Amino acid sequence: MAASLPKPVADETRDFYGKHPELFSERRVYQFQQLAIQPNQTDFLTKLQQQLSDAKSLTDVTAWLKAEKIPFAANTSTKAAEQLPLELLPRFHQMKDGQIGVVPASDGVMVVQLTASRNMPLDEKAATPFIEQFLGNQKRMEAAEKEVKQLREKA
């Protein structure tokens, strides 16, 4: 059933390209320093926000976490826009180099510092195959979910 779905049309890909400049025309590659934190206090986020407002760098946050005996893991990564979660990408796109942000995670919280970024835009022609694949996958998932729902109702 999913394989029989039509390929996305040019208008759909053009529309998706225009609505997501952070993925294409304004695409960036991001370098992050990250702290994955597993809070052990109920009012942790309030204290963390206070520390972030006072911190000049991620090193200051790390020192505070160690002093408070809060477990964390540090990591450095480089990711292109399309490798980031689509729901978080607009937020990262707004960040300036050196800026620190907090991202909720399933098992705690992530403190992320954008250490550097560089522009690497994709024009519409180069982006079209990726958009077609994404939209096709999205349509197949929606069709499969709809089909499973109908089958469950009949069962």
Side-chain angles (χ1 to χ4, degrees):
M1 179 205 63
S4 67
L5 292 172
K7 187 176 176 182
V9 295
D11 287 344
E12 289 176 299
T13 58
R14 194 174 309 110
D15 185 51
F16 190 84
Y17 181 89
K19 287 182 178 175
H20 296 281
E22 66 278 3
L23 279 172
F24 307 112
S25 62
E26 298 174 14
R27 178 179 176 263
R28 291 165 47 194
V29 174
Y30 302 89
Q31 287 183 326
F32 296 108
Q33 284 188 330
Q34 305 161 318
L35 299 176
I37 306 168
Q38 298 169 348
N40 57 7
Q41 304 167 354
T42 55
D43 59 345
F44 173 75
L45 281 177
T46 305
K47 290 179 179 180
L48 178 62
Q49 292 293 350
Q50 178 61 45
Q51 287 301 316
L52 290 175
S53 66
D54 296 341
K56 293 179 179 40
S57 71
L58 215 54
T59 305
D60 295 341
V61 177
T62 302
W64 173 73
L65 291 169
K66 287 178 181 176
E68 295 289 317
K69 295 183 173 73
I70 299 170
F72 69 93
N75 186 19
T76 302
S77 65
T78 300
K79 295 187 181 211
E82 64 274 10
Q83 295 173 307
L84 296 169
L86 196 55
E87 64 276 3
L88 294 177
L89 184 57
R91 186 169 172 197
F92 289 130
H93 185 69
Q94 298 292 321
M95 290 177 74
K96 307 283 185 235
D97 291 359
Q99 198 171 0
I100 299 173
V102 176
V103 179
S106 59
D107 59 346
V109 83
M110 186 82 81
V111 177
V112 178
Q113 182 173 28
L114 178 60
T115 55
S117 65
R118 63 184 184 279
N119 292 328
M120 293 190 74
L122 278 177
D123 63 19
E124 191 172 344
K125 183 179 178 181
T128 297
F130 300 112
I131 297 171
E132 287 174 347
Q133 182 180 8
F134 177 81
L135 292 177
N137 289 343
Q138 192 174 43
K139 283 181 181 181
R140 282 189 288 282
M141 251 172 91
E142 288 169 1
E145 287 173 0
K146 183 179 176 184
E147 184 68 19
V148 167
K149 182 180 177 187
Q150 289 174 352
L151 290 171
R152 284 186 177 151
E153 288 172 357
K154 290 179 184 177

